[in-house]
């Protein structure tokens, strides 16, 4: 049985942060469009669709102001909301809740995460940035640790 309360709370937190991220991206596109005409008037979802498979190219060409760059650096820092630690912890908590706390589902969860990363690489247009690989590794390790703890607990009983 899924832990719906945990799933809803994690979704609420991520949705709030994603709204801010979407607004930032749309603002960049608006600024960039004035300079280049590229992606003019497109929403976040339209950008994601138009640049599917070449998001890396799109984002590498955006010009970012210092304030936004610093805010983004803070968000992906070690203690930031989108940093490896918090993101992997949320993913682990989400996976556990989705599995209803059943560690026997770790292989299925890990496979789903790996497939998700493959899909993200396809949309990105190549290998994901290092922070993404680190987050994936931390998430998979956390799930392995959870399964090992559960197995150790079962063995002691």
């Amino acid at each position: 049985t899924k832990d719906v309360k945990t799933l809803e709370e994690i979704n609420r937190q991520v949705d709030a942060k994603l709204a801010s991220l979407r607004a930032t991206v749309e603002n960049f596109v608006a600024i960039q469009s004035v300079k280049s005409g590229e992606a003019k008037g497109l929403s976040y979802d339209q950008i994601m669709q138009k640049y599917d498979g070449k998001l890396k190219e799109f984002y590498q060409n955006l010009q970012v102001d210092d304030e936004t760059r610093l805010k983004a650096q803070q968000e992906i820092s070690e203690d930031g909301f989108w940093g490896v630690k918090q993101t992997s912890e949320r993913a682990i908590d989400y996976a556990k809740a989705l599995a209803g706390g059943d560690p026997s589902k770790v292989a299925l969860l890990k496979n789903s995460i790996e497939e998700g990363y493959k899909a993200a690489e396809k949309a990105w247009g190549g290998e994901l940035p290092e922070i993404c690989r680190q987050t994936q590794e931390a998430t998979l390790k956390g799930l392995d640790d959870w399964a090992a703890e559960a197995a150790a607990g079962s063995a002691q009983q």
Side-chain angles (χ1 to χ4, degrees):
T1 305
K2 296 178 192 174
D3 179 350
V4 176
K5 185 177 178 181
T6 299
L7 294 171
E8 287 175 349
E9 177 57 24
I10 293 170
N11 281 334
R12 185 194 62 72
Q13 291 172 1
V14 171
D15 285 346
K17 283 290 192 172
L18 274 176
S20 174
L21 178 62
R22 283 175 176 250
T24 299
V25 170
E26 287 174 349
N27 184 49
F28 281 141
V29 170
I31 292 168
Q32 197 73 22
S33 293
V34 169
K35 295 177 182 175
S36 69
E38 190 172 342
K40 188 173 185 177
L42 296 180
S43 70
Y44 178 87
D45 291 331
Q46 290 167 326
I47 292 163
M48 296 300 285
Q49 183 177 10
K50 179 177 179 174
Y51 292 95
D52 187 31
K54 50 188 174 179
L55 285 169
K56 179 180 181 179
E57 174 187 326
F58 175 76
Y59 282 105
Q60 284 180 331
N61 292 324
L62 284 179
Q63 295 177 8
V64 180
D65 62 271
D66 287 339
E67 180 183 344
T68 304
R69 182 181 47 77
L70 291 172
K71 182 179 177 186
Q73 286 174 337
Q74 180 183 14
E75 289 283 357
I76 66 169
S77 71
E78 185 174 339
D79 295 321
F81 186 85
W82 298 112
V84 173
K85 181 180 177 186
Q86 285 193 42
T87 301
S88 63
E89 287 174 354
R90 270 192 313 280
I92 292 163
D93 290 345
Y94 198 88
K96 288 178 179 180
L98 197 58
D102 181 357
S104 72
K105 301 208 184 292
V106 165
L108 176 64
L109 294 167
K110 287 175 60 175
N111 184 58
S112 296
I113 290 166
E114 289 168 351
E115 290 299 316
Y117 273 84
K118 287 177 188 173
E121 282 185 331
K122 182 179 177 197
W124 184 248
E127 192 172 298
L128 293 171
E130 181 65 24
I131 191 171
C132 298
R133 289 188 298 279
Q134 291 172 355
T135 302
Q136 180 185 20
E137 289 171 9
T139 303
L140 296 175
K141 182 182 181 315
L143 291 174
D144 284 338
D145 292 349
W146 174 47
E149 288 169 13
S154 294
Q156 289 180 358
Q157 292 177 1

